[in-house]
Every structure is written in structure tokens, then in C-alpha cells.
Amino acid sequence: MAAELLRATALHAYYGESHVLQGVEYHVNRGEVVTLLGRNGAGRTTTLKAMLGLVGSRCGSVMIDGRETISLAPHQIAHLGVGYCPEERGIYASLSTEENLLLPPALAPGGMSIAEIYAMFPNLQERRASRGTHLSGGEQQMLALARILRTGARLLLLDEISEGLAPVIVHALSRTVQRLREQGYTIVMAEQNFRFAALLADRFYIMERGRMVEGFTARELPDKMTLLRRYLGV
Amino acid sequence: MTEILGIPVAVIPGQLMLGLVNGSFYAMLSLGLALIFGLMGVVNFAHGAFYTLGAFAALLGLQWFGINYWIALLLAPLVVGLLGILVERLLLRRLYRLDPPLYRAWVIIASVVVCFATWFVIERTRLGATLRAATENAPLLQAFGVNVPLLMAATYGGGVALAALAGVLAAPVVLVNSHMGTSLVIVVFAVVVIGGMGSMLGAIVSGLVLGLVEGFTKVIYPEASNIVVFIIMALVLILRPAGLFGKE
Ligand SMILES: Nc1ncnc2c1ncn2[C@@H]1O[C@H](COP(=O)(O)OP(=O)(O)OP(=O)(O)O)[C@@H](O)[C@H]1O
Ligand SMILES: [Mg+2]
């Protein structure tokens, strides 16, 4: 098994006329947590979407688990074991909490059982008959994360999961991601919340105007603080 | 450039060709219709649906089993024809001799059962949850690994099958005229708008209720019976643009 699970090379993505990703280059090794940092509009969400082919059009190369996916349809890419937690959470209003949870089809063996999921997120069990969008923001985020853990996906793309949530919930999410990491999941996160990301990530990329402008490991982080301040203003 | 009746001569062969192609379809369809009507005295209201079914059989045969066009030309009519035989055996046959009041009761019961079954599948099963999710946010559903294009084709097939069923049920009772299909489709669209686009329950309830309203109007004020549905549609659009059961 190769160490590398994901690699994007010379990746360009467009929404109609606007050329959003302009030659993205990055990779993620198996079992790693990698965080994409950047200012608003830098292109982190678009990078995650482009992994699944959810942009207007894309070209270049995206290798997942040794396979070129650039010309595959989104559902075919998902079946390579990719789970996606969108920025807007994507909870379906016409589905109950449990229906939302059961919605994504199994992609590979080894996904969590419903019992394991409810043990990990007890709130979801309590509210399983409620309409998905009647949950609190924190519960919706848990649901968006939980439903991709059922599928057996081993590569998780998590977009701003800590955004707009109370500190105690952010803390709980942080512990959850920590546990997923220990269980060997590979995780790509887009994060505004630098403190949330700093605790979890093995490596960081900084994005600006649709490109990766810096990449470094967690160990190099202290030396990179001036750089980060310049790029992000943290 | 030379013209005949204001039409450039050069485009005439192309138009004639198109006309001939359409004419070929009409001919084959009416041949089938005439055959069924002549032999059985049944107006095959479902004919259009079976026509669509034939096209789909060919398309899906190619996509799923790699059956090529020339084989499909033989196979698709066979498959759809067998389906027709089944419909005739199971449904039509026992109806020829039914008396009208009984037949009408049967139509209502069959419709209620089919509508309820459809509603149940959509509201209470996992397949239904997937369909609801597809109406709400299809790209995300596809990113979860659901083959949305295939789901769309299957949904279309299901809708067509419902149309075919309605057609078969209508065959023995509906008055024959060349516009009956067209005018029905317009009313049906109005019903869907009133119920709320994409709302199953809305379609079922407003379908049945509007049928009743129309019937009543025929009794008390026949002049308005043709337009009452459209008046209601206009009112609904003004007061509740998403429809009675639609989500805002
Ligand atoms: N659907 C779209 N159509 C056109 N342009 C878009 C679309 N989505 C994003 N963009 C543009 O692409 C650029 C990158 O957006 P993206 O959402 O990837 O940024 P981001 O780094 O996730 O920032 P944030 O989440 O803070 O808004 C922005 O300039 C944005 O305006
Ligand atoms: Mg974003």
C-alpha cells in the first residue's frame, strides 16, 4: 500500500467563466490530517469540491488511492472511499435525522454501525425522528460528520466543521476528529479556526488566490507563525 | 435564392424529411391503436406510454446489457409487447364486461391503492428518502456515491409507468377524441401546480379533490366546468405560490 492516498497536480477548476483553482498542487498521506488554511475566498472549499468533481469543470490530475479520477463522475469518485462534509452541512430538510444518517450508501466494508455512531453522538439518537434541519447547529454538524462514517469511507473531506459553533461543541468535535485520526482515517480539513486546526493537523497548506503558496508540518509550525500572520492575519 | 410560397427551396427537402420521419412514427402508433381498437373495441389510452417504454427498453438495453440497436429493434417490441399482453390479461380482460358503475368504483379503488403505495414508498422507505434527497440537493447526493443519473432515469420510468396505468384504467370509460390526451395533460399539470411542485401528497390530494370539484361544477354551473381547475390554479398561485402542499 502506497503511503500517498491523495495527490492533486496542476489542478484547475472553473465555475462558468471564473477560473477559481489555478494550478493546485498538494498531497495527503494515508492516516494524515492535513489542514487547508487561507483567507476568505482563497479557494479551500473549491479545492475540496474539486476532489469530488463538484465544480463546474476541472482539469489537471487528482489521484486517489492510485487511480486517476479527473474524468470520473462524483458518485464514482465517492466509491473510491471518499466521504464529504460540505461547508453548508448539507442536511436534508425533507428527511428525518435518521434518514439523513442512513442516506449515503455504503462505499466500502468497515464503516461504523448505527450503534457505534449513536454511542459516539448520543444526541443524534435522542433526536433521530426529528427533521434534520430542526436540529441545533452543533447537532447538524455532528449529523453531517456521522453520516459519512457509516459508509466505510477512509478519506474524509471536512469543510469548516467548527464554524459558527459554541466553544464546548468545537471542543467535542475536536475530540471526535482526534479519535478518527487514531482510528487511521485520512482527513483533509478546510479551517478558518486556526486554533482548532493547530491541535489536530499533521500538516498545513496555505492557499491564496486558488493556489497552494506554502506547505509545512506541525513541527515547523512555531517557525511559521510570522508567515501565517502575514497570510491569514491570525 | 428561389423560393416557393416564401420558403427557400433549399430547406424544403430537409423539412419534408423531418415530416416523413414524424409521419412514420404517427403511422406506426396509429396502426397499433387502430389494431387494438378494431379488434377489441378498446381505446388504448396508454399507447403513448408504451411508445415511451419501447424507447426506454432500447436505451436501457444498450446501457445495461450492451444490446445493439438492431437487436433492440426486435427485442424491445417483444418485451413491451409481453408487458402489454400481461396488462391485457390481468387488467383489461376482466373489465370488458363490467357494468359502468362497478367499473368506476374499481377505478377509484385502484387509484387510491396505487397512490397510497406510491406515497408510502416515497415517504416511508429508504428508496423514497433517496428520492426526496435527490429533489432537494442532487449534487451532494451524488457526492455520497449515489448514481443520480440512473436514479433520474428510473424515476422517469416510474412516472411513465403510472401514466400507463392511468391510461389502461381510463381506456374503457373515457370518451374518444383526438385531443383527450393533450387536454388531460394540461389539467394534470394544473393539478401538480395546485398541489405543489414535487409534493406527492399534494398531487394525490389535489388530484382527487379537483376531480370532485370539477364534477360538482358540471352539475351546478356546467359552463365553468372546463375552467374551474384553472381558476383555482390562478388563486393558489396568487395566495400560495409554492402550492397547497409545497415547501416555501
Ligand atoms: N459557485 C460559484 N460560482 C462562482 N464563483 C464561485 C463559486 N463558489 C466560489 N466561487 C469563488 O471562488 C473563490 C474561492 O471560493 P471558495 O469558496 O473556494 O473559498 P474559501 O477559501 O472556501 O473561502 P470561504 O469559505 O472563507 O468563503 C471565491 O472568489 C468565490 O467567490
Ligand atoms: Mg469555504
Side-chain angles (χ1 to χ4, degrees), chain A residues 58-134:
Chain A
R58 57 175 199 163
C59 63
S61 161
V62 177
M63 301 288 294
I64 296 177
D65 207 3
R67 277 195 59 186
E68 180 55 72
T69 66
I70 200 75
S71 52
L72 297 186
H75 64 274
Q76 296 169 316
I77 300 174
H79 280 272
L80 299 174
V82 185
Y84 175 49
C85 191
E87 189 170 21
E88 67 287 353
R89 295 181 189 136
I91 301 303
Y92 287 92
S94 51
L95 272 61
S96 71
T97 298
E98 190 154 273
E99 282 175 330
N100 265 285
L101 198 55
L102 296 174
L103 180 68
L107 304 171
M112 290 188 192
S113 67
I114 281 284
E116 283 172 296
I117 295 220
Y118 281 149
M120 202 169 191
F121 306 99
N123 281 21
L124 296 184
Q125 180 163 26
E126 260 167 55
R127 308 218 49 191
R128 65 174 184 269
S130 307
R131 216 158 257 290
T133 42
H134 288 180

Side-chain angles (χ1 to χ4, degrees), chain B residues 62-79:
Chain B
L62 178 68
Q63 275 189 356
W64 293 348
F65 309 110
I67 295 169
N68 85 30
Y69 175 79
W70 299 107
I71 298 174
L73 208 53
L74 283 175
L75 219 55
L78 263 175
V79 169

Side-chain angles (χ1 to χ4, degrees), chain A residues 15 18 20-21 38-47 49 87 159-160 163 190 192 207:
Chain A
Y15 288 113
S18 64
V20 178
L21 298 189
R39 286 182 199 274
N40 282 346
R44 294 159 301 149
T45 295
T46 309
T47 302
K49 284 187 161 182
E87 189 170 21
D159 199 348
E160 308 282 4
E163 195 181 22
Q192 281 286 21
M207 284 200 82

Side-chain angles (χ1 to χ4, degrees), chain B residues 60-209:
Chain B
L60 295 182
L62 178 68
Q63 275 189 356
W64 293 348
F65 309 110
I67 295 169
N68 85 30
Y69 175 79
W70 299 107
I71 298 174
L73 208 53
L74 283 175
L75 219 55
L78 263 175
V79 169
V80 178
L82 282 176
L83 205 71
I85 290 174
L86 221 65
V87 163
E88 198 272 347
R89 287 275 119 173
L90 295 179
L91 293 170
L92 286 185
R93 197 177 163 69
R94 54 192 68 184
L95 301 175
Y96 301 142
R97 278 169 220 92
L98 271 182
D99 61 316
L102 221 83
Y103 185 76
R104 297 208 168 96
W106 150 247
V107 167
I108 294 168
I109 292 166
S111 163
V112 166
V113 168
V114 168
C115 286
F116 179 77
T118 308
W119 174 85
F120 183 86
V121 167
I122 289 180
E123 294 298 329
R124 292 283 179 272
T125 67
R126 273 195 73 178
L127 173 67
T130 307
L131 286 169
R132 274 177 284 144
T135 25
E136 205 180 317
N137 183 350
L140 180 61
L141 187 66
Q142 194 172 4
F144 286 149
V146 174
N147 190 341
V148 170
L150 190 67
L151 190 69
M152 300 271 177
T155 307
Y156 189 79
V160 164
L162 278 176
L165 199 63
V168 174
L169 284 170
V173 286
V174 171
L175 275 182
V176 187
N177 77 71
S178 57
H179 297 298
M180 65 188 201
T182 330
S183 53
L184 184 76
V185 163
I186 294 171
V187 173
V188 166
F189 271 111
V191 166
V192 170
V193 168
I194 292 168
M197 283 286 183
S199 162
M200 300 300 135
L201 200 63
I204 296 170
V205 172
S206 57
L208 294 174
V209 169

